[in-house]
Amino acid sequence: MDLTPSFRKRFFLKCEGFNFAGSVKAKAALSMISAAEEEGLLRPGSTIVESSSGSLGVALAALAAERGYRFVCVTDTRCTERHLRMMRSYGAEVVVISEPDPVEGLLGARIRHVHELCRQDPGALWLNQYANDNNWRAHFHTTGPAIVRAFPDLDYLFIGAGTTGTLTGTGRYLKHIGHPARIVAVDSVGSVTFGGPPGTRHIPGLGTGRRPEIVDESVVDEVLMVPEQEAVRMCRALARRGYLLGGSTGTVLAGAWQRLADAGPTALSVGISPDLGERYLDSVYDDVWVRARFGDITDDDPLAPAPAGTLVGS
């Protein structure tokens, strides 16, 4: 997707929402399940357990249904209603956690519940997207090469940080081949992945209350921390231009918009969009939901041209 007219810089968006199951998580789900099958950890009738804020849960639910596995997804109250309904439509069992862990937040509470489920059913397999190397390998073998083929002269690559599978795998690929593009990780304020203080977050997909084991900061050149209200503003501004994108994408684009204010006029940039916006109609695109959490920000357009005489980024 070419967002150059909106960004007024050469900027393209890789839209992973067109994947099977509707998000970038389709790649990680297939990679982790296929590896578990090859290792003999999954057999017909096996039970898969995973913690997910929504998108991975949907992808795993679809694959589990297709391959004959029972799937239990442990999520929390930030999971959108559409994600919940999609998982249940595929036949998944969904557990919604509402009480956060005092130290590691809702994610810590979800993982604690996963451990309890596996204790109750020793035959269940926790794929553990936060520590599973097949999560990032999916992007080392697919996402990274695809971006370099399409944009060999890339200068900046903006990637959101959730489990960091996309970030670690894609970043490792570009560093492995010696590509000079700067890898820019974009995270939500309140996430602890890169050492920031924990805080309340409302939008699922990016950010963690517990540092993922697979994160590889050695492939990251810059880290941008974006307040969630800026992600919402960006999503809604782009919707008014005809692009309905997910909350994680809004975070990535808000970070890119700020960073590229200092980039040269010929810089070529790509952002990775994890999913599209139809799953966020009852949250990011709902006026009541937004006002309850962030106040009245619905009419503030970050992409509007600055008035004459105003310094961009000021």
Side-chain angles (χ1 to χ4, degrees), residues 237-249:
L238 284 168
R240 292 192 292 272
R241 289 165 169 80
Y243 305 109
L244 195 70
L245 302 166
S248 299
T249 304

Side-chain angles (χ1 to χ4, degrees), residues 61-278:
L63 284 169
E66 189 266 334
R67 300 191 181 196
Y69 304 130
R70 173 178 175 244
F71 174 53
V72 183
C73 180
V74 181
T75 187
D76 60 54
T77 50
R78 293 170 300 183
C79 184
T80 71
E81 181 64 26
R82 287 176 180 255
H83 280 118
L84 292 172
R85 292 175 65 182
M86 290 177 74
M87 286 188 279
R88 289 170 175 148
S89 295
Y90 285 122
E93 301 167 41
V94 183
V95 179
V96 180
I97 301 297
S98 58
E99 292 296 324
D101 180 270
V103 176
E104 297 183 334
L106 286 166
L107 176 57
R110 278 163 34 191
I111 292 176
R112 188 171 65 244
H113 192 80
V114 167
H115 284 302
E116 177 60 22
L117 291 176
C118 291
R119 186 191 66 79
Q120 295 172 7
D121 181 2
L125 175 66
W126 176 28
L127 292 172
N128 192 0
Q129 61 170 324
Y130 315 101
N132 192 323
D133 287 332
N134 293 298
N135 182 349
W136 67 260
R137 284 176 183 147
H139 302 284
F140 184 93
H141 294 297
T142 62
T143 310
I147 290 172
V148 172
R149 283 195 303 270
F151 300 98
D153 298 326
L154 179 68
D155 294 301
Y156 296 92
L157 178 59
F158 294 88
I159 311 174
T163 66
T164 71
T166 308
L167 173 65
T168 294
T170 305
R172 279 181 173 169
Y173 177 78
L174 266 69
K175 300 304 182 185
H176 173 71
I177 65 172
H179 198 286
R182 292 187 67 77
I183 306 298
V184 184
V186 187
D187 202 2
S188 296
V189 170
S191 169
V192 305
T193 299
F194 298 103
T200 300
R201 290 173 291 107
H202 303 285
I203 303 173
L206 290 192
T208 62
R210 171 183 178 273
R211 181 179 166 90
E213 290 86 345
I214 62 172
V215 64
D216 182 0
E217 290 191 62
S218 72
V219 304
V220 176
D221 298 301
E222 303 178 38
V223 176
L224 301 176
M225 303 300 296
V226 175
E228 285 191 324
Q229 57 266 36
E230 296 303 317
V232 172
R233 291 173 63 217
M234 182 60 71
C235 281
R236 296 172 74 101
L238 284 168
R240 292 192 292 272
R241 289 165 169 80
Y243 305 109
L244 195 70
L245 302 166
S248 299
T249 304
T251 306
V252 171
L253 294 179
W257 173 252
Q258 295 169 13
R259 175 63 180 83
L260 293 177
D262 298 325
T266 63
L268 173 60
S269 303
V270 169
I272 297 180
S273 168
D275 58 8
L276 302 179
E278 74 281 354

